[in-house]
């Protein structure tokens, strides 16, 4: 009799445990669907092949796909916010976003205010102009107007070179405006990352010369200072390097820009 009671009790315990377990997993699944954690990225989508819009208004580019792959790896939903390049560091400092991918060079100066991942691409700088103008070196820029994007390392670089080489610096909000300024002759030369400049040279028949003065640090992902994501993302970048994901992205987006 006692044995039977124990047996029935045992079955009941198992049943209840089973039901609880089923409820438990049910809940976990549904909450995962409802509030999958969001990873907020900011960028300045004026910078092909790193970030721009396709004809349907969707974000595309190397940085966009890298960010998506990282979000997938972390199990987060990626949200992208577009803003002027000049506002990106501030949005990290205010912790309005979790990370920035914007072809951003990991300079020492920026490191005072944000943390960077390992670098994922190196680009030099270039001065580009319209075919007929044929600027070939810094000396030929005397008396000319050189355009840069606000907040970039090129803005700082141009300010430093302007006096020595006697050119004027015009600062604009976006890299695409820079190209418009060039084609409408409001500036003589645009100064920008070589990878991006190469794209414009190829697609718009521009010409250019390499900046002989600087060697900028590589591009990296920026985070608010002290963010836990830095180590996690570095580990993912390392994995992407080892398993070929990074190379695939480079082949897809950057191979025409070298
Ligand atoms: N590499 C340069 C910098 O860090 C320019 C980056 C501009 N990026 C952009 N998405 N417009 O200053």
């Amino acid at each position: 009799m006692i044995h039977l009671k124990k047996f029935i009790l045992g079955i009941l315990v198992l049943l209840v445990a089973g039901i609880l377990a089923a409820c438990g997993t049910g809940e976990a699944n549904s909450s995962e669907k409802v509030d999958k954690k969001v990873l907020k990225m900011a960028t300045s989508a004026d910078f092909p092949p790193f970030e721009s819009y396709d004809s349907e208004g969707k974000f595309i580019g190397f940085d966009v796909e890298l960010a998506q792959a990282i979000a997938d790896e972390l199990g987060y939903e990626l949200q992208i916010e577009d803003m002027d390049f000049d506002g990106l560091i501030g949005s990290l400092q205010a912790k309005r976003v979790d990370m920035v991918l914007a072809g951003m060079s990991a300079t020492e100066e920026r490191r005072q205010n944000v943390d960077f991942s390992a670098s994922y691409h190196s680009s030099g700088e270039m001065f580009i102009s319209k075919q007929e103008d044929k600027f070939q070196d810094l000396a030929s820029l005397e008396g000319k107007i050189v355009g840069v994007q606000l907040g970039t390392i090129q803005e700082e670089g141009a300010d430093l070179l302007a006096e020595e080489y006697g050119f004027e610096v015009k600062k604009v909000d976006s890299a695409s405006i820079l190209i418009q300024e060039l084609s409408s002759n409001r500036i003589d030369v645009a100064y920008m990352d070589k990878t991006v400049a190469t794209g414009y040279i190829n697609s718009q028949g521009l010409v250019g010369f390499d900046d002989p003065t600087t060697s900028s640090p590589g591009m990296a992902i920026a985070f608010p200072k002290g963010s836990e994501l830095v180590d996690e993302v570095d580990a993912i970048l390392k994995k992407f390097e080892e398993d070929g994901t990074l190379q695939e992205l480079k082949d897809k987006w950057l191979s025409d820009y070298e």
Side-chain angles (χ1 to χ4, degrees):
M1 205 43 189
I2 291 178
H3 277 148
L4 187 61
K5 268 194 190 157
K6 268 199 180 160
F7 180 69
I8 291 173
L9 198 69
I11 289 193
L12 276 178
V13 167
L14 282 179
L15 263 178
V16 170
I19 289 167
L20 282 180
C23 288
T25 50
E27 257 171 36
N29 278 342
S30 59
S31 75
E32 206 181 315
K33 272 202 193 118
V34 176
D35 33 63
K36 192 173 176 185
K37 285 224 285 181
V38 167
L39 186 63
K40 277 197 200 149
M41 152 184 170
T43 193
S44 170
D46 55 0
F47 212 55
F50 295 99
E51 46 268 330
S52 58
Y53 289 97
D54 71 5
S55 54
E56 279 146 33
K58 260 181 43 206
F59 290 110
I60 52 162
F62 179 90
D63 285 343
V64 175
E65 273 188 35
L66 178 59
Q68 186 61 59
I70 289 170
D72 289 348
E73 201 70 23
L74 291 166
Y76 289 166
E77 182 196 321
L78 180 69
Q79 256 175 29
I80 303 182
E81 191 182 329
D82 190 13
M83 58 180 79
D84 287 343
F85 188 82
D86 201 23
L88 291 170
I89 298 274
S91 77
L92 286 172
Q93 286 180 294
K95 297 210 167 72
R96 276 197 302 274
V97 297
D98 302 307
M99 62 178 189
V100 161
L101 281 87
M104 185 179 276
S105 313
T107 63
E108 281 312 315
E109 203 180 329
R110 289 177 180 148
R111 279 181 199 279
Q112 313 282 313
N113 299 313
V114 298
D115 282 345
F116 281 107
S117 71
S119 148
Y120 60 81
H121 178 74
S122 288
S123 165
E125 268 70 54
M126 239 181 153
F127 292 89
I128 55 172
S129 61
K130 282 164 89 174
Q131 192 87 39
E132 62 259 36
D133 294 320
K134 300 221 169 57
F135 299 108
Q136 270 153 10
D137 53 20
L138 289 171
S140 63
L141 300 181
E142 192 175 350
K144 304 294 175 198
I145 303 176
V146 176
V148 292
Q149 181 178 22
L150 266 169
T152 60
I153 53 173
Q154 290 83 20
E155 177 192 1
E156 208 185 322
D159 280 343
L160 286 174
L161 295 171
E163 203 171 320
E164 185 178 351
Y165 293 97
F167 58 77
E168 187 188 320
V169 183
K170 181 160 183 191
K171 305 175 181 190
V172 301
D173 282 330
S174 96
S176 21
I177 294 180
L178 215 49
I179 299 303
Q180 286 167 25
E181 294 281 291
L182 201 56
S183 51
S184 52
N185 299 316
R186 284 193 290 269
I187 58 175
D188 300 295
V189 175
Y191 181 35
M192 55 166 59
D193 286 61
K194 182 169 180 170
T195 307
V196 175
T198 305
Y200 286 121
I201 287 176
N202 295 338
S203 67
Q204 322 246 336
L206 303 172
V207 288
F209 66 91
D210 287 350
D211 175 6
T213 62
T214 62
S215 59
S216 55
M219 295 172 179
I221 306 172
F223 303 90
K225 264 229 164 294
S227 164
E228 286 170 6
L229 279 173
V230 185
D231 289 344
E232 288 177 59
V233 169
D234 267 340
I236 293 173
L237 282 177
K238 191 149 181 265
K239 174 174 176 251
F240 284 172
E241 193 139 343
E242 283 160 9
D243 71 9
T245 305
L246 210 53
Q247 193 54 49
E248 262 172 48
L249 286 178
K250 288 189 176 178
D251 290 347
K252 173 170 176 188
W253 291 102
L254 306 181
S255 57
D256 291 343
Y257 292 78
E258 272 150 13

